[in-house]
Amino acid sequence: MVSEKSAPVAIVMGSDSDMDVMKSCIEQLGDFGIEPVVRIISAHRTPEIAAEFADNAAKNGIKVIIAAAGMAAHLAGALAGRTTLPVIGVPLISGSCLEGVDALLSTMQMPPGVPVATVAIGRPGAKNAAVLAVQILALNDEPLREKLAEFKTAQKKKVIKKDASLRRRSGDG
Ligand code: RP5
């Protein structure tokens, strides 16, 4: 378990039921060699702990906070209101009758002055939150910037390969 004092990225999720989706975020960060501190903190069920976490995050060396929650997802906004660190919000579906649109709007529709960089709903968003966090950290980290460039090149090559294979199969290549 990584200590808050040594991790550049914190992933905070509203419930342990969010872990299944947020594993993709942890894994994506791991691919870049980043081990995040991971916490379960709820804006509604443990508001005092959420406040204490946000108040101390920068002091503890955290550079980027990723906050994931479902339903009336106020976690990212509640943290963003108490820190100057960038906060990335991941809206989750979490069994909601509104399929995550509730969480999307609750996370994204922040008032002026308190931004939450909101990514896509669910697993794609969980992965993108990790990539966005790495992009922020890479502003001051040349080796990380190189890893990001490799990541982008690898995904480009994958698409080109799939296109070539499709064209071969359809006799077009
Ligand atoms: C949110 O409510 C959590 O982030 C979770 O997505 C959702 C349901 O939580 P549980 O009832 O499964 O703990 O606060």
Short mmCIF file of all heavy atoms in Angstrom, two decimals, residues 32-34 133-135 137-138 141-149:
data_model
loop_
_atom_site.label_atom_id
_atom_site.label_comp_id
_atom_site.label_asym_id
_atom_site.label_seq_id
_atom_site.Cartn_x
_atom_site.Cartn_y
_atom_site.Cartn_z
N PHE A 32 2.23 3.28 -16.69
CA PHE A 32 3.16 4.42 -16.79
C PHE A 32 4.13 4.45 -15.60
O PHE A 32 4.84 5.43 -15.39
CB PHE A 32 2.38 5.74 -16.85
CG PHE A 32 1.72 5.99 -18.17
CD1 PHE A 32 0.36 5.77 -18.33
CD2 PHE A 32 2.45 6.42 -19.26
CE1 PHE A 32 -0.27 5.99 -19.55
CE2 PHE A 32 1.84 6.65 -20.49
CZ PHE A 32 0.48 6.43 -20.63
N GLY A 33 4.11 3.39 -14.80
CA GLY A 33 5.03 3.31 -13.66
C GLY A 33 4.60 4.15 -12.47
O GLY A 33 5.42 4.49 -11.62
N ILE A 34 3.31 4.48 -12.41
CA ILE A 34 2.82 5.29 -11.29
C ILE A 34 1.93 4.45 -10.39
O ILE A 34 0.93 3.88 -10.84
CB ILE A 34 2.04 6.52 -11.80
CG1 ILE A 34 2.99 7.44 -12.56
CG2 ILE A 34 1.36 7.28 -10.66
CD1 ILE A 34 2.32 8.55 -13.29
N ALA A 133 -4.12 12.37 -15.96
CA ALA A 133 -3.26 12.62 -14.79
C ALA A 133 -1.79 12.53 -15.21
O ALA A 133 -0.97 13.38 -14.82
CB ALA A 133 -3.56 11.61 -13.68
N VAL A 134 -1.47 11.54 -16.03
CA VAL A 134 -0.09 11.39 -16.50
C VAL A 134 0.30 12.59 -17.36
O VAL A 134 1.42 13.11 -17.26
CB VAL A 134 0.07 10.06 -17.29
CG1 VAL A 134 1.43 9.99 -17.97
CG2 VAL A 134 -0.10 8.87 -16.35
N GLN A 135 -0.62 13.06 -18.18
CA GLN A 135 -0.31 14.22 -19.03
C GLN A 135 -0.02 15.45 -18.18
O GLN A 135 0.86 16.26 -18.51
CB GLN A 135 -1.48 14.50 -19.99
CG GLN A 135 -1.54 13.44 -21.10
CD GLN A 135 -2.73 13.63 -22.03
OE1 GLN A 135 -3.81 14.03 -21.60
NE2 GLN A 135 -2.55 13.30 -23.29
N LEU A 137 1.18 15.39 -15.03
CA LEU A 137 2.47 15.17 -14.37
C LEU A 137 3.63 15.32 -15.37
O LEU A 137 4.71 15.78 -15.01
CB LEU A 137 2.53 13.77 -13.76
CG LEU A 137 1.55 13.49 -12.61
CD1 LEU A 137 1.65 12.02 -12.20
CD2 LEU A 137 1.83 14.39 -11.42
N ALA A 138 3.37 14.94 -16.62
CA ALA A 138 4.43 14.95 -17.64
C ALA A 138 4.86 16.37 -18.01
O ALA A 138 5.94 16.55 -18.60
CB ALA A 138 3.96 14.21 -18.89
N ASP A 141 8.04 16.44 -16.32
CA ASP A 141 8.72 15.15 -16.20
C ASP A 141 9.00 14.60 -17.60
O ASP A 141 8.13 14.00 -18.22
CB ASP A 141 7.80 14.21 -15.39
CG ASP A 141 8.44 12.88 -15.08
OD1 ASP A 141 9.29 12.42 -15.85
OD2 ASP A 141 8.06 12.28 -14.05
N GLU A 142 10.23 14.81 -18.05
CA GLU A 142 10.60 14.43 -19.41
C GLU A 142 10.46 12.91 -19.66
O GLU A 142 9.85 12.51 -20.66
CB GLU A 142 12.04 14.92 -19.68
CG GLU A 142 12.63 14.57 -21.02
CD GLU A 142 11.87 15.12 -22.21
OE1 GLU A 142 11.26 16.21 -22.09
OE2 GLU A 142 11.87 14.45 -23.27
N PRO A 143 10.97 12.03 -18.77
CA PRO A 143 10.81 10.59 -19.03
C PRO A 143 9.33 10.18 -19.15
O PRO A 143 8.97 9.34 -19.98
CB PRO A 143 11.44 9.92 -17.80
CG PRO A 143 12.38 10.94 -17.24
CD PRO A 143 11.79 12.28 -17.57
N LEU A 144 8.48 10.81 -18.36
CA LEU A 144 7.05 10.50 -18.43
C LEU A 144 6.48 10.97 -19.77
O LEU A 144 5.62 10.32 -20.38
CB LEU A 144 6.33 11.18 -17.26
CG LEU A 144 5.01 10.58 -16.79
CD1 LEU A 144 5.10 9.08 -16.56
CD2 LEU A 144 4.54 11.27 -15.51
N ARG A 145 6.99 12.12 -20.24
CA ARG A 145 6.55 12.64 -21.54
C ARG A 145 6.91 11.64 -22.65
O ARG A 145 6.14 11.41 -23.57
CB ARG A 145 7.22 13.99 -21.81
CG ARG A 145 6.27 14.96 -22.39
CD ARG A 145 6.60 16.42 -22.36
NE ARG A 145 7.95 16.85 -22.31
CZ ARG A 145 8.45 17.58 -21.30
NH1 ARG A 145 7.69 17.91 -20.28
NH2 ARG A 145 9.70 17.98 -21.32
N GLU A 146 8.10 11.03 -22.52
CA GLU A 146 8.51 10.04 -23.52
C GLU A 146 7.60 8.82 -23.48
O GLU A 146 7.21 8.29 -24.51
CB GLU A 146 9.97 9.64 -23.29
CG GLU A 146 10.92 10.67 -23.86
CD GLU A 146 12.33 10.53 -23.32
OE1 GLU A 146 12.71 9.44 -22.86
OE2 GLU A 146 13.06 11.56 -23.36
N LYS A 147 7.25 8.39 -22.26
CA LYS A 147 6.34 7.23 -22.14
C LYS A 147 4.99 7.54 -22.78
O LYS A 147 4.38 6.69 -23.41
CB LYS A 147 6.12 6.87 -20.67
CG LYS A 147 7.26 6.08 -20.07
CD LYS A 147 6.86 5.59 -18.69
CE LYS A 147 8.09 5.08 -17.95
NZ LYS A 147 7.88 4.86 -16.54
N LEU A 148 4.53 8.78 -22.60
CA LEU A 148 3.24 9.18 -23.19
C LEU A 148 3.32 9.14 -24.72
O LEU A 148 2.39 8.69 -25.38
CB LEU A 148 2.90 10.61 -22.76
CG LEU A 148 2.01 10.77 -21.54
CD1 LEU A 148 1.96 12.22 -21.14
CD2 LEU A 148 0.60 10.24 -21.79
N ALA A 149 4.45 9.61 -25.26
CA ALA A 149 4.62 9.61 -26.71
C ALA A 149 4.60 8.17 -27.21
O ALA A 149 3.96 7.86 -28.23
CB ALA A 149 5.92 10.31 -27.08
#
